[in-house]
Amino acid sequence: TSRRLGNGRRVPLDVRSTPSFSLFPGQIVAVEGKNLKGSEFSVSQLRQLPRLQHPGISEREQGIQQFSAVVATGPYTLSDNFEYEPLADLVDHAIAAAPGVVFLLGPFVSESHPMLKEGAVDLQPGEIFAAKISPHLERLRQGLPAPSCIYLVPSTDELCYPYTCYPQPAFGQELLSQLGVPDGIASLSNPAQVSVNGVVIAVANIDVLFHLVKEEVSRLPALSDRLPRLAWHLIEQRHLYPLSPPPMECAGILASQDTKLRLQTMPDILITPSQLKHFVRAHENVVLLNPGYSSMRLSGGTFAKISVHPQSAAETKDTLLGDSTKAFPADLTSAEIIRI
């Protein structure tokens, strides 16, 4: 049917004749094909959606300045204790590397911890944070150069935080003080988009990759590596939780706050922590990163170290004027996954 005569009626998509696709519930797609019977739309080809633009000349007039970053995701302790040994090792690594930015993503005190589920802990979550985590944060703050930035990002699995739905606001200053977090450590919302030395970094601290992997169906997709492809869906959909409806086990997704889940500009680095296997992949000038979890039940997990190399203002301007898709060449960034 035509748009004029179809009356908005829904029909299934027949993708049997489509040579390549990667689809999931809630995805916005542009398709080419025919609806001859009025009961189904036979898809011959899926069209690429318009891409967001990388930051322009005005946002990068100073060029791209060199910096390094450490990215880690909780839980930060083993599943049989609350000694936070992986966090202690992580802090040692970070102090030795002396990065310009440290992103510490929750949960810090996870509601999924077996000892909390069993009632085997006498301390309240806030007391655990103040006694076990804040001393490591103090050591990290003192061990890094003064200009270095440390950011805490909340999680929907966090017991020390009252907001369990996604998206989440940043930790309030009053709460940080109650938890004993030292001065010089800030918090970001979840999700967040920040600019560091001319580089746009997007952080989505919810396991959307694990949710997508159970729902996606594909045939000969353009990006054959499945895990980075799941992350790339967020870029294509311009949304940091494009799956709809979300799974039952997922924390509530606030439809009223949907604008906060939308990407405002094309990120240069997209951080999507997941229990799936860690990875780093550059695709179409975006670095896709899953740093993994800092603790894997009874053993240490992984974190990521990112190094961004400089690009002068003149080089950045020439690149932007020449080809906007190369505003941030992927070879400016190197990243590695480090085991704790």
Side-chain angles (χ1 to χ4, degrees), residues 79-293:
S79 60
D80 61 349
N81 64 61
F82 276 99
E83 296 305 318
Y84 284 87
E85 295 162 327
L87 179 59
D89 290 344
L90 171 65
V91 169
D92 291 339
H93 280 286
I95 292 175
V101 185
V102 176
F103 294 98
L104 297 178
L105 285 58
F108 299 94
V109 182
S110 173
E111 68 174 2
S112 302
H113 196 287
M115 292 180 64
L116 288 173
K117 287 185 173 181
E118 296 167 3
V121 182
D122 295 329
L123 297 177
Q124 295 293 320
E127 295 173 330
I128 295 174
F129 194 111
K132 299 295 185 179
I133 298 175
S134 290
H136 291 300
L137 297 180
E138 179 71 37
R139 185 164 64 91
L140 178 63
R141 179 65 278 176
Q142 293 182 358
L144 292 180
S148 297
C149 298
I150 303 173
Y151 295 113
L152 307 183
V153 181
S155 163
T156 56
D157 195 36
E158 178 62 61
L159 277 179
C160 295
Y161 192 59
Y163 300 98
T164 59
C165 292
Y166 186 73
Q168 300 172 288
F171 287 103
Q173 190 56 50
E174 182 178 351
L175 178 58
L176 292 177
S177 299
Q178 293 174 357
L179 296 175
V181 177
D183 294 337
I185 295 181
S187 177
L188 298 174
S189 61
N190 178 31
Q193 277 191 268
V194 296
S195 179
V196 180
N197 290 4
V199 176
V200 177
I201 301 175
V203 181
N205 191 21
I206 189 171
D207 201 347
V208 61
L209 304 188
F210 184 70
H211 301 158
L212 282 171
V213 78
K214 295 186 289 185
E215 300 289 347
E216 185 206 39
V217 292
S218 63
R219 176 195 295 159
L220 299 176
L223 183 55
S224 59
D225 195 342
R226 190 177 193 188
L227 298 184
R229 183 175 72 246
L230 297 175
W232 186 249
H233 282 311
L234 278 63
I235 299 294
E236 285 191 321
Q237 296 294 297
R238 305 184 178 192
H239 200 279
L240 293 171
Y241 197 92
L243 181 64
S244 180
M248 291 295 294
E249 69 271 16
C250 178
I253 307 297
L254 296 178
S256 61
Q257 302 293 318
D258 185 73
T259 56
K260 296 180 180 179
L261 299 178
R262 298 176 189 172
L263 287 169
Q264 303 304 314
T265 187
M266 178 69 86
D268 300 312
I269 300 173
L270 174 63
I271 300 172
T272 53
S274 174
Q275 61 186 288
L276 302 176
K277 185 176 176 59
H278 51 74
F279 63 83
V280 178
R281 173 72 181 267
H283 183 66
E284 294 189 20
N285 260 338
V286 178
V287 176
L288 309 172
L289 171 63
N290 169 21
Y293 291 170

Side-chain angles (χ1 to χ4, degrees), residues 9 41 43 57 68 93 137 149 175 232 277 298 325:
R9 188 158 60 96
F41 190 96
V43 180
I57 295 175
S68 61
H93 280 286
L137 297 180
C149 298
L175 178 58
W232 186 249
K277 185 176 176 59
L298 296 177
T325 64

